[in-house]
Amino acid sequence: MIEKMSNYILDNFLYKDEKVEGNEREIMLFGITRILEDIPKYTIIFLIGYFCNILQYMGIVLAITMMYKTFVGGVHARTNIACLIFSTIYFILPVFIAKYINVNIYLLTLVTFLLSLIVIWRIAPADTEEIPILKKAKRKKLKLIGLISLLVILSFNLLEIQDLYIQNIILITILNIDLCTTKLVYKFFKCKYSYESEEFKEYYNK
């Protein structure tokens, strides 16, 4: 159903009266399909947040995700159902864990910074077979932007935000994103980095 809708949107709206084939069509269809799949998923997730009265805090998780995960990358679930379950946990978990964190904010920030630094240096950008990031220059650029984003978020969190609960949500979200780049989580979701794929291995970091 979604595939038919993606083709219809591509042929009748985005490229009306134009013929798109080959890799360009596959890339466009992939992007449209992802958007169509994400609309109901995020609608469900944020409805849960609304009824649990935590929507504003889930918004914080979303903001940090857009500012940091965009550049650091991370695992993707293989099915829509798994993606819905994983994404729901991803957005809700930091909101609840943050209530029970009793660690000095400066210590937690330092730990977050050091672990994130390792992830950015050794792993980021964590790509997948479906969305490979192969060019060395692009990977370096994403690492740099990821590092800058991390420093901006952590500095703002310490200097501007006074609410300890919100500070904890932000730090836990960053740690959660870092965790999602690791080999262990990739194996759990049966996901591969592009360098592990036979299709992309020879093109990686060139």
Side-chain angles (χ1 to χ4, degrees):
M1 179 66 178
I2 291 180
E3 186 177 342
K4 288 182 179 179
M5 289 174 64
S6 299
N7 279 285
Y8 183 83
I9 291 170
L10 181 63
D11 294 331
N12 293 276
F13 293 97
L14 297 180
Y15 282 92
K16 192 174 182 180
D17 301 323
E18 296 181 43
K19 194 169 184 179
V20 186
E21 296 180 343
N23 289 335
E24 184 180 357
R25 184 178 185 84
E26 286 185 21
I27 293 169
M28 290 297 295
L29 281 175
F30 180 80
I32 296 168
T33 301
R34 285 292 301 274
I35 292 171
L36 291 177
E37 289 174 346
D38 283 349
I39 290 173
K41 178 180 73 177
Y42 283 107
T43 300
I44 292 170
I45 290 170
F46 286 103
L47 278 174
I48 293 171
Y50 175 78
F51 287 112
C52 292
N53 200 30
I54 58 171
L55 187 59
Q56 68 273 35
Y57 301 118
M58 289 173 66
I60 295 170
V61 176
L62 177 61
I64 300 303
T65 299
M66 293 173 66
M67 292 174 64
Y68 184 59
K69 189 176 187 297
T70 301
F71 311 110
V72 174
V75 72
H76 290 286
R78 310 296 285 183
T79 66
N80 288 331
I81 295 297
C83 186
L84 174 61
I85 295 170
F86 172 68
S87 297
T88 303
I89 294 171
Y90 172 87
F91 277 97
I92 291 177
L93 201 61
V95 177
F96 284 104
I97 291 179
K99 290 183 178 181
Y100 305 103
I101 292 292
N102 189 23
V103 179
N104 181 279
I105 191 64
Y106 294 102
L107 177 60
L108 185 57
T109 300
L110 178 61
V111 170
T112 302
F113 172 70
L114 292 176
L115 290 176
S116 299
L117 202 60
I118 293 171
V119 165
I120 292 170
W121 178 258
R122 299 293 301 272
I123 304 174
D127 60 1
T128 63
E129 291 178 290
E130 291 78 17
I131 313 176
I133 303 172
L134 304 174
K135 293 184 178 179
K136 190 174 184 179
K138 185 174 182 179
R139 296 187 66 83
K140 282 186 175 181
K141 180 180 178 181
L142 289 172
K143 280 181 183 290
L144 178 59
I145 299 174
L147 177 59
I148 293 170
S149 178
L150 174 69
L151 293 172
V152 169
I153 294 169
L154 293 181
S155 298
F156 184 81
N157 196 39
L158 276 179
L159 301 175
E160 298 296 330
I161 297 177
Q162 305 300 318
D163 190 319
L164 183 60
Y165 178 48
I166 292 177
Q167 287 180 317
N168 285 337
I169 290 175
I170 290 172
L171 293 176
I172 294 166
T173 300
I174 292 173
L175 290 172
N176 199 16
I177 292 169
D178 290 336
L179 181 64
C180 290
T181 69
T182 62
K183 186 77 171 176
L184 181 65
V185 176
Y186 267 65
K187 282 187 175 181
F188 178 80
F189 283 97
K190 297 179 180 178
C191 208
K192 287 183 178 181
Y193 303 102
S194 62
Y195 68 82
E196 296 178 312
S197 169
E198 292 299 326
E199 182 180 358
F200 301 116
K201 190 181 292 184
E202 62 178 300
Y203 305 107
Y204 182 80
N205 253 3
K206 292 196 177 174

